[in-house]
Amino acid sequence: MSMAGNLRKVGTLRKVSGLRRVGGLRKVARLARRGTRVDLSHPARSPLGSSVVNCVTYREGVREPQGHDLVESVKRVRKSGDGFVWLGLHEPTEEEFADIADLFGLHPLAVEDAVHAHQRPKVERYDQTLFAVFKTVCYVEHGELTATSEVVDTGEIMVFVGREFVITVRHGRHGSLGPLREELEASPEQLAQGPAAVLHAIADQVVDDYLASTDAIQSDIDQVETDVFAPDGARADPGRIYQLKRELLELKRAVVPLGRPLQVLATQPMRIIAPEIQAYFRDVDDHLKRATEQIAAFDELLNSILQAHLAQVTVAQNEDMRKITAWAAVIAVPTMVCGMYGMNFDHMPELHWRFGYPLVMSVIVTACVALYRGFRRSGWL
């Protein structure tokens, strides 16, 4: 069924079971990647601190006006039992994150992972808090692929999800969640579903970026393949193939390990994630499997291209050796004759004959021409 069909179906379910607000989750997450990615980590855009990107309170899916600090906002949400706080951070230090961890009661192990980064994609539960790690991927535009071109750039997004809060910690130069936040705010019915809806939207955006990167890498592979199988493909730079394989390996390290965490989010019952939202994680998992299959196919294709290039180089070398051998055979005839008559003997055939020199030169030329034609006919020259 198409996405629009799913949305209509969920919209109908609301009349029966009150689930209409879930229906647009997938649509909102898809729309998030269409907007311009704005890096909100710049200090000029962070009035709350050097690492705090934004801190917003949502009640019934609507953004409340700014007017309270973080502590006061959390107290108001906990007292009312409605809404949640979304706190966005960019590469915080241990000191900056310590007070936040105490305020929300975050587990020390999860806090350590969020501060130091360089983690594998995973999902962990600590009491009433869910901690998820996503590897972000961004395709690096380049005019021409070289043996040193950077193809993909990776970062990380850590997400703490509780009943009344979402904390996102971003590491890297890309993966801004600003456009995603704006898209969710444009659909209050989605944010009304709580922190779980934000977690789904982030996961969906990350996986969509995987697919966008694999589509872009496909163009690089096509270009390399075209160059290798061109008439002068043996002279193509194999360093570009190795570079693509290295960058593809970096992409694989980001994409493949996320499979198990998404299965956990999609299948295992969790209090923080409602069953109707959990079903949409299966759609994200399907897209992740598509990206994983594309990466595996690209790896096999690059191996085939590399083997074909090596075979072309071997064939070209064999052709060069045949040409060298053929010319050496041609040159051997005058070398042999001239070497014979260069010996210092008085009694040699035609040594004092008037027509001896023209005869020897004729024999040399005739032999060389016969050898040349023979090698040309056999394809050696």
Side-chain angles (χ1 to χ4, degrees):
M1 181 182 295
S2 64
M3 182 177 65
N6 285 333
L7 294 176
R8 288 194 296 269
K9 181 178 179 181
V10 176
T12 305
L13 288 175
R14 184 190 182 192
K15 299 178 182 179
V16 179
S17 57
L19 300 181
R20 180 179 181 183
R21 291 181 296 178
V22 185
L25 277 174
R26 179 179 176 184
K27 179 179 180 180
V28 170
R30 292 287 181 270
L31 291 175
R33 65 185 295 265
R34 297 181 184 174
T36 302
R37 299 295 173 86
V38 181
D39 189 356
L40 300 180
S41 64
H42 193 278
R45 302 180 64 89
S46 304
L48 303 178
S50 60
S51 66
V52 178
V53 176
N54 213 336
C55 179
V56 181
T57 301
Y58 297 96
R59 197 178 303 275
E60 295 183 356
V62 179
R63 177 173 182 159
E64 290 193 341
Q66 297 291 346
H68 305 282
D69 60 13
L70 175 60
V71 177
E72 182 64 25
S73 298
V74 173
K75 288 182 179 179
R76 289 168 58 89
V77 169
R78 289 175 176 173
K79 182 178 180 180
S80 64
D82 183 25
F84 66 95
V85 175
W86 184 351
L87 175 64
L89 305 172
H90 180 258
E91 298 182 356
T93 63
E94 294 182 2
E95 294 76 13
E96 291 173 329
F97 205 67
D99 294 338
I100 296 174
D102 293 337
L103 176 63
F104 292 98
L106 304 179
H107 196 278
L109 292 178
V111 172
E112 182 180 1
D113 291 343
V115 171
H116 296 289
H118 303 294
Q119 305 296 319
R120 284 172 57 89
K122 61 182 178 179
V123 171
E124 296 176 342
R125 283 181 285 186
Y126 298 97
D127 297 330
Q128 300 298 318
T129 302
L130 190 68
F131 177 63
V133 177
F134 302 99
K135 282 280 191 180
T136 59
V137 172
C138 176
Y139 178 78
V140 180
E141 297 290 343
H142 45 267
E144 181 180 358
L145 180 66
T146 65
T148 58
S149 295
E150 184 181 14
V151 179
V152 294
D153 184 25
T154 59
E156 293 179 48
I157 294 179
M158 287 80 167
V159 186
F160 294 88
V161 180
R163 299 184 65 87
E164 70 278 349
F165 66 88
V166 174
I167 303 175
T168 56
V169 183
R170 185 167 63 87
H171 291 264
R173 298 171 295 177
H174 62 275
S176 173
L177 299 176
L180 177 63
R181 185 192 295 268
E182 295 174 1
E183 293 291 344
L184 287 173
E185 290 177 355
S187 300
E189 65 275 10
Q190 311 309 321
L191 282 175
Q193 293 299 313
V198 178
L199 178 62
H200 166 266
I202 293 174
D204 201 35
Q205 173 178 294
V206 169
V207 174
D208 282 348
D209 288 341
Y210 293 164
L211 293 174
S213 297
T214 54
D215 291 341
I217 291 176
Q218 174 73 65
S219 300
D220 289 329
I221 295 177
D222 291 342
Q223 183 60 48
V224 169
E225 186 178 19
T226 301
D227 294 342
V228 167
F229 289 99
D232 58 344
R235 292 187 173 87
D237 184 10
R240 297 193 303 164
I241 305 177
Y242 283 108
Q243 180 65 14
L244 271 180
K245 286 184 66 67
R246 285 194 295 266
E247 295 296 305
L248 196 64
L249 178 60
E250 184 176 359
L251 179 61
K252 183 178 180 180
R253 289 172 179 170
V255 175
V256 175
L258 186 58
R260 179 57 184 168
L262 279 183
Q263 289 181 356
V264 171
L265 292 173
T267 58
Q268 293 188 8
M270 299 181 184
R271 294 181 179 179
I272 299 177
I273 302 178
E276 56 268 23
I277 296 179
Q278 195 171 39
Y280 284 89
F281 280 102
R282 289 195 288 269
D283 176 70
V284 180
D285 186 44
D286 290 339
H287 290 173
L288 180 68
K289 290 178 180 177
R290 174 188 165 192
T292 302
E293 292 172 356
Q294 284 183 328
I295 292 173
F298 290 164
D299 192 36
E300 291 294 329
L301 181 57
L302 285 174
N303 287 334
S304 300
I305 294 174
L306 181 59
Q307 292 298 324
H309 176 68
L310 294 177
Q312 285 183 326
V313 171
T314 302
V315 171
Q317 290 176 342
N318 290 337
E319 291 180 354
D320 293 339
M321 289 302 299
R322 289 193 300 177
K323 291 179 180 179
I324 293 172
T325 303
W327 282 113
V330 173
I331 296 174
V333 173
T335 302
M336 180 186 66
V337 175
C338 294
M340 181 187 305
Y341 278 89
M343 295 184 294
N344 297 321
F345 291 99
D346 291 333
H347 303 287
M348 295 183 67
E350 290 82 25
L351 186 61
H352 299 286
W353 185 37
R354 182 177 182 179
F355 299 101
Y357 177 77
L359 176 62
V360 172
M361 293 303 297
S362 300
V363 172
I364 292 175
V365 171
T366 302
C368 291
V369 171
L371 287 174
Y372 177 80
R373 294 187 63 182
F375 286 129
R376 285 281 294 182
R377 191 179 299 110
S378 62
W380 283 45
L381 289 175

